[in-house]
Amino acid sequence: MLAVPSKRISRAPLAELLLLLKIASLPRWTTPVLILLGFASSLAETVGITLVLLFFYLAMGQVELATSTSGLLGDALRYAATYFQSSAEAAVVVFLLILTRGGISFIYTYISASVGERINEIARNRVHLQYLSASYAFFLRHEEAYLMEMLGTETWLISGAYTSFTRIIVSACSIVLFAACLLALSMKIAVVALFASLLVSAGLRRLSKPVRALGSKVKSVHQELGLHMLMSLQAMRTIRAYGQEKVHQERFERSSAEARDISLGLARLSALVSPLTEVGYLFVLCIIIVMAQLWDGSFATTLTAVAILYRLQPHVRELEGSLLNMTQIEQRLRSIRIMLSTEDKEYPNAGKYPFEKLDQRVVFEKVDFDYGEPSSPILRELSFEIPAGKTTALIGASGSGKTTIVNLLLRLYSPSGGLIRIDGQPMEEIRRGDWLSQLAIAGQDIDVIEGTVIDNVRLARSCASAAEVLDALRIAGISEFVEGLPKKFDTWVGQHGLRLSGGQRQRLGLARAIVRNPGFLILDEAMSALDRELEDSIRESIRSRFRGRTVLIISHRLETILDADHLVYVEAGKLRAQGPPAELLKNPASPLRNVLANSSMS
């Protein structure tokens, strides 16, 4: 027998798992059915051991040994001895019990695996949904390596934890059954086995502390290793250009060695469970044999006790191994549960009013914004408008707040003060999906995914046809280049588009925005990497395609600004001037005259 695990050892990881299972919303029947199957398997094994003993007695022609066994178990053997006429009959029943136990084990394993994989699937989906639905600020607060580790590795732990959880219960049930057999055999033997097992359990409990300590380090070292992996892959061109291969290799090897040491430490501690359990139960068996001789116990009783204790050992080993596994992954289960929790996260307001298209204007009314630091605001009581159906140029020096304005329009952030109105309606009250369906953005820095050309263009509109993609590529001035690629649309663009030049990436981003066919197009330095002639050609194509629609242009090129219908000049997060460019230039007092004359915006 084995002592009941202390709450200090098992309560925390089991609590984390139960909270995760609650989030997963599994059918209520799964855990009870698994426990019943495990109990039935243990019962079949217990009965089988009893009949195996009887089989040997019958095979040796020593039926009297079976009848000399003491206790209730002895009564059961005596009854079985009168029922079976030969060892062959006992062997057939034992064989059937083995088949039964095998069938139950198969059903148990299959259901457990199905439930475990379902849990993993739900956890992966929920974590990915958190990434997509939580505020953009929450996403930026976490390292990419951490997010990758959580989604790609941590969520797979839950099925293993669930299996350990059910095995703990099943093993405990098996131990109770075998303990009942010992009690039915001999009260004295059962008491001695209990106290001896308590000593073995106390020794094994000492492994939990170092396992928990190493388990808490696994997450951080894996995250660090993942960080080095991402750094090497994402900055490969820069690393090679500056000859930093050796430095990054040494960093990676240090993290890799630390991960190896921690994994080996955990493997070493886990490997100790089996030999320590075997040695411990050899100690228990020796005590039982010695005590049985002192009590003048019968040979049959002693042999039966030894057989029961021998078969008890694997269940004890499995229980201890499952407990150690739960202890090891406790910290990682907590991380998953925290990631899935919605209480500590902010979510964009979904809005309630439908929106079809921008008819009048977008108005910023005394908008304030800061990135969590009120003492250093990015925007300060900023008020201006973007008229519908016209082209507005937004200018200002680097750091003036232009990108923040774009992020607010894309609802990546919400103002910390003031209002943004869409046709008079507060933006936060308009359905977020309806508003964003009208927007498209092309910027200086393009998010190019590791995929094909058409994969990248369809990021803006997954249902776009090949003809629509080709048309967008033509307007963006990159169709001829794509047509000349080996696989055309299906050509792989490389990691982060490294097989493309900066200008090609920008034009790919333009095509992505164009294929969305938006009512409100935002161009944030979208052609800064292009030469003047190509930019003029593309700008004319975009002007023709989006005539009569709302366009917001951020650019430092003078001719782009002067072609706009409306101009907004911001400086240090405040409005300096707005209105038609020609009128602003005519006004001698306008702060815009020197800026436009020098054409120094960035």
Side-chain angles (χ1 to χ4, degrees), residues 481-492 499:
F481 169 77
V482 173
E483 288 290 327
L485 292 173
K487 295 184 179 179
K488 302 185 185 320
F489 289 161
D490 296 320
T491 301
W492 182 62
R499 296 179 65 182

Side-chain angles (χ1 to χ4, degrees), residues 241-515:
Y242 286 96
Q244 296 296 301
E245 295 92 341
K246 183 178 179 181
V247 173
H248 284 270
Q249 180 64 20
E250 289 175 351
R251 290 178 182 173
F252 184 85
E253 287 179 357
R254 284 196 296 270
S255 294
S256 183
E258 188 177 1
R260 176 205 62 204
D261 291 340
I262 290 177
S263 296
L264 283 176
L266 287 170
R268 183 170 56 251
L269 291 172
S270 298
L272 283 173
V273 172
S274 181
L276 287 178
T277 303
E278 291 179 3
V279 172
Y281 270 81
L282 179 61
F283 166 72
V284 174
L285 290 176
C286 291
I287 292 178
I288 294 297
I289 293 172
V290 171
M291 297 304 294
Q293 291 179 348
L294 293 177
W295 295 327
D296 293 328
S298 67
F299 172 77
T301 299
T302 304
L303 180 61
T304 304
V306 168
I308 292 173
L309 286 170
Y310 179 76
R311 286 307 307 158
L312 174 61
Q313 180 215 336
H315 298 286
V316 174
R317 184 168 62 244
E318 185 172 44
L319 176 63
E320 292 295 340
S322 298
L323 286 172
L324 283 179
N325 181 57
M326 293 293 290
T327 302
Q328 172 187 335
I329 63 176
E330 173 187 346
Q331 184 65 35
R332 300 163 82 180
L333 290 176
R334 183 177 294 114
S335 297
I336 300 170
R337 193 256 305 164
I338 292 173
M339 177 58 72
L340 292 176
S341 173
T342 58
E343 298 174 356
D344 60 336
K345 299 175 184 66
E346 296 180 357
Y347 296 86
N349 187 351
K352 57 183 178 180
Y353 296 110
F355 179 83
E356 292 185 2
K357 68 173 184 174
L358 183 64
D359 290 321
Q360 301 171 18
R361 62 184 56 83
V362 177
V363 178
F364 279 57
E365 294 182 356
K366 295 184 177 181
V367 170
D368 295 329
F369 182 79
D370 61 76
Y371 289 98
E373 298 180 5
S375 60
S376 303
I378 307 300
L379 304 181
R380 309 176 188 183
E381 295 190 343
L382 180 63
S383 298
F384 68 91
E385 69 175 45
I386 302 173
K390 296 183 178 181
T391 298
T392 297
L394 175 62
I395 65 172
S398 178
S400 60
K402 303 189 300 296
T403 300
T404 300
I405 291 170
V406 172
N407 287 337
L408 290 172
L409 288 172
L410 295 173
R411 296 195 62 177
L412 295 176
Y413 301 103
S414 296
S416 52
L419 278 177
I420 301 175
R421 294 187 182 275
I422 310 297
D423 289 345
Q425 190 75 32
M427 177 186 282
E428 295 289 328
E429 296 183 8
I430 291 175
R431 289 178 185 170
R432 180 173 176 271
D434 288 357
W435 167 245
L436 294 180
S437 69
Q438 295 297 308
L439 266 65
I441 180 171
Q444 183 174 11
D445 299 318
I446 305 300
D447 293 327
V448 179
I449 64 170
E450 186 173 347
T452 64
V453 171
I454 199 166
D455 289 337
N456 275 275
V457 175
R458 282 177 172 167
L459 273 178
R461 185 163 156 251
S462 59
C463 62
S465 66
E468 290 172 322
V469 171
L470 181 59
D471 184 52
L473 291 171
R474 180 187 57 77
I475 294 173
I478 196 175
S479 58
E480 290 185 6
F481 169 77
V482 173
E483 288 290 327
L485 292 173
K487 295 184 179 179
K488 302 185 185 320
F489 289 161
D490 296 320
T491 301
W492 182 62
V493 298
Q495 297 171 356
H496 302 282
L498 291 180
R499 296 179 65 182
L500 305 176
S501 68
Q504 289 165 346
R505 287 197 295 272
Q506 280 198 342
R507 282 179 282 167
L508 193 63
L510 273 169
R512 179 189 296 166
I514 292 166
V515 82

Side-chain angles (χ1 to χ4, degrees), residues 1-10 168-169 171-176 179 182 190-206 277 280-281 284 309 312-313 315-321 323:
M1 288 185 295
L2 186 67
V4 176
S6 66
K7 291 182 179 180
R8 180 181 63 82
I9 293 171
S10 60
I168 286 171
I169 298 176
S171 297
C173 291
S174 300
I175 291 170
V176 170
L182 283 177
V191 171
V192 171
L194 170 63
F195 283 103
S197 296
L198 284 171
L199 293 176
V200 175
S201 176
L204 292 171
R205 287 281 74 79
R206 297 179 66 86
T277 303
Y281 270 81
V284 174
L309 286 170
L312 174 61
Q313 180 215 336
H315 298 286
V316 174
R317 184 168 62 244
E318 185 172 44
L319 176 63
E320 292 295 340
L323 286 172

Side-chain angles (χ1 to χ4, degrees), residues 177-198:
L177 275 175
F178 281 105
C181 286
L182 283 177
L183 285 171
L185 181 67
S186 169
M187 176 67 74
K188 292 180 180 179
I189 291 177
V191 171
V192 171
L194 170 63
F195 283 103
S197 296
L198 284 171

